Amino acid sequence: MHTLAGFRAPQRQVLTPAIAKGAQVSSGFVVMPAGHAAAAHVHDMHDMIVIVLEGNVTTLIGERLENEYRHEPGDSFLIPAGQPHVGINAAPWRCVLVECRSDPYFNEDVTLLPELEAVVQRRAAELRADFAPPEDRRTILDRV
């Protein structure tokens, strides 16, 4: 298992992948700063399971990012291969996620979708304006 240094990915997120040589899967941490919106993108050939460890994140998914899902610590969800999506952290604190991908190199099959950037920025502004803090800000470890 090789844990690589964190890097800023094309999706505008800091990724810290762990890649197992010869394996057909990879995983890694994603840290989203307060108020951050990633870039809309698609993983062309690989599925991804996301687990929220800390903070809150909203996922927009669909051809025009028309479906919205809100997640909190302990939630997990699937992003199927070929599905346009974006993560938005509307909270005034960071969000930490773990992504488990069927991509053995963690970020090799990303295609950015700049034609959806206006949708991302509009929805991010709306989500930030409407953000209501949860009653508590526990992490997943506090809920176990």
Side-chain angles (χ1 to χ4, degrees):
M1 180 75 67
H2 302 293
T3 301
L4 305 176
F7 66 95
R8 188 163 178 83
Q11 307 93 294
R12 295 193 304 249
Q13 299 182 111
V14 175
L15 306 178
T16 306
I19 298 171
K21 187 175 181 181
Q24 295 302 307
V25 296
S26 60
S27 64
F29 289 102
V30 177
V31 178
M32 297 179 73
H36 178 75
H41 61 282
V42 63
H43 300 270
D44 299 310
M45 301 173 296
H46 298 98
D47 297 325
M48 177 173 56
I49 294 173
V50 181
I51 303 163
V52 182
L53 298 181
E54 178 184 322
N56 307 84
V57 66
T58 299
T59 302
L60 304 180
I61 190 167
E63 293 303 315
R64 302 291 309 151
L65 304 176
E66 66 275 10
N67 302 303
E68 177 181 310
Y69 302 95
R70 296 185 185 201
H71 315 284
E72 61 183 36
D75 288 351
S76 61
F77 53 98
L78 171 70
I79 305 286
Q83 194 64 239
H85 65 280
V86 67
I88 299 172
N89 177 11
W93 50 75
R94 77 178 188 170
C95 179
V96 180
L97 313 166
V98 171
E99 293 183 351
C100 304
R101 302 180 182 186
S102 61
D103 171 4
Y105 300 104
F106 195 71
N107 211 43
E108 292 292 318
D109 70 337
V110 172
T111 300
L112 296 178
L113 302 170
E115 65 275 16
L116 296 176
E117 187 62 21
V119 174
V120 172
Q121 294 307 315
R122 179 180 53 80
R123 289 298 296 131
E126 292 169 353
L127 289 165
R128 287 184 206 109
D130 293 341
F131 182 77
E135 291 181 24
D136 65 65
R137 288 191 42 225
R138 295 180 293 176
T139 68
I140 188 173
L141 297 177
D142 297 322
R143 295 174 189 242
V144 181

